[in-house]
Amino acid sequence: MKGTDPGIECRAHRLEWTVSGRAVVDGVTFTVPPGSFTGLIGPNGSGKSTVLRLLAGVLRPSTGQALLDGTDVATLKRRCVARRLALVAQETASEVEMTVAQVVMLGRSPHHRRGAATDSDVRAVEQAMATMGVAALAERSWTTLSGGERQRASIARALAQETPALLLDEPTNHLDISHRLDLLEVLSHIDTTVVAALHELDLAARYCDHLVLLDAGRVVASGPPEAVLTPALLEQVYRVRATVGVGPDDRMNVHTAPLQRRWTPPDIHRRIPASKCFDEPS
């Protein structure tokens, strides 16, 4: 359960983003309830990453608006946006000559222009690193981190930013199953509006309280998981057979299987005549 701070509302209003005449995002409209953990789901190429970048103001829409508590992101200065939302992209620079603590401290930059870190900055950084389990890596060089360690440190940087909205693009990438579950537990409990692009339908069902299903740049469905993760919609969008239920812990679960076998495995027991394996000497 989230706490009493509701976060802020994020809204996409008729968002379109076109490249070379092709609509990557095509008339997308949805509302992220304040304080919710909203998952953007959909197949590869459905527009999840682009929608996140439009919501964050990193991309400017061809038409439409991305709104934070009713204010068009395009009208806000970058520092103002950075005080309202933090964005964790899929990939981060790997050749940065900084320690982990210094990278996480970058999350505090929207709150002051220059000068040494304040006590509140240090507390925010220490708390964020502890939350993401990277406190022991504080003095490690960023370039020596594994992909999973770098991902957790990047999310710590976003948490240290202390914004009422947090946007994450495939945050479970590079994480082992233990850290993946730990992260989703954190995201489902922090007092922040969270929007995350997720590939794992079972994890989206377990941890998100609101979902937006995208396909080919358009919204197919949005709402609570039980309204979005239906066998009919998952077959339509993902071309899979889905079984939806509730586990012993009262959390929703989703199991998928292919509609039909797309290939025939080779018969490894079939003997091949030697004459077929090697050319006869001439």
Side-chain angles (χ1 to χ4, degrees):
M1 293 281 299
K2 296 211 179 214
T4 56
D5 189 343
I8 61 174
E9 179 190 85
C10 301
R11 186 156 61 97
H13 179 65
R14 297 181 180 177
L15 280 179
E16 292 190 10
W17 194 67
T18 303
V19 178
S20 301
R22 183 177 73 89
V24 179
V25 173
D26 189 4
V28 164
T29 294
F30 63 84
T31 298
V32 175
S36 70
F37 181 8
T38 293
L40 297 184
I41 59 174
N44 291 337
S46 59
K48 300 185 296 295
S49 297
T50 304
V51 168
L52 276 179
R53 296 173 72 189
L54 289 167
L55 287 176
V58 176
L59 295 177
R60 186 176 291 270
S62 304
T63 61
Q65 295 174 301
L67 303 161
L68 291 177
D69 268 354
T71 301
D72 191 338
V73 175
T75 67
L76 299 173
K77 294 182 178 180
R78 291 310 306 166
R79 181 176 292 273
C80 183
V81 174
R83 288 174 176 170
R84 297 190 184 196
L85 66 82
L87 172 67
V88 179
Q90 281 193 48
E91 301 295 335
T92 56
S94 58
E95 300 305 318
V96 178
E97 290 299 334
M98 301 175 73
T99 66
V100 171
Q102 289 171 331
V103 169
V104 177
M105 184 62 76
L106 292 176
R108 302 301 302 164
S109 57
H111 301 286
H112 48 75
R113 293 187 179 277
R114 292 180 182 176
T118 64
D119 290 343
S120 61
D121 292 331
V122 173
R123 284 194 299 270
V125 167
E126 289 177 347
Q127 181 176 345
M129 289 194 297
T131 298
M132 291 310 304
V134 295
L137 306 178
E139 299 307 316
R140 281 268 302 274
S141 169
W142 179 261
T143 59
T144 68
L145 300 184
S146 68
E149 290 169 334
R150 193 174 299 130
Q151 183 76 337
R152 287 187 287 138
S154 295
I155 296 170
R157 185 268 306 159
L159 293 178
Q161 205 166 322
E162 293 186 323
T163 55
L166 176 60
L167 278 55
L168 307 103
D169 194 358
E170 299 187 21
T172 57
N173 268 3
H174 309 297
L175 299 184
D176 58 45
I177 186 63
S178 176
H179 286 117
R180 189 176 302 175
L181 297 178
D182 287 345
L183 169 62
L184 292 172
E185 284 287 352
V186 168
L187 296 180
S188 65
H189 286 83
I190 57 176
D191 295 329
T192 299
T193 300
V194 178
V195 186
L198 298 170
H199 271 299
E200 304 96 331
L201 295 179
D202 56 333
L203 297 181
R206 284 179 60 83
Y207 291 100
C208 295
D209 45 37
H210 187 260
L211 294 175
V212 178
L213 175 59
L214 298 170
D215 189 25
R218 297 178 179 177
V219 174
V220 177
S222 64
E226 59 269 21
V228 175
L229 296 175
T230 66
L233 280 176
L234 296 181
E235 179 175 336
Q236 172 190 330
V237 173
Y238 287 93
R239 305 303 301 160
V240 295
R241 182 181 297 107
T243 303
V244 180
V246 178
D249 57 358
D250 292 328
R251 293 194 182 190
M252 188 176 178
N253 56 46
V254 177
H255 300 285
T256 58
L259 285 176
Q260 59 185 8
R261 190 181 294 277
R262 293 192 174 95
W263 63 285
T264 302
D267 184 357
I268 61 173
H269 300 293
R270 183 171 62 88
R271 288 187 171 275
I272 302 176
S275 61
K276 300 294 185 181
C277 297
F278 304 98
D279 291 334
E280 294 290 338
S282 56

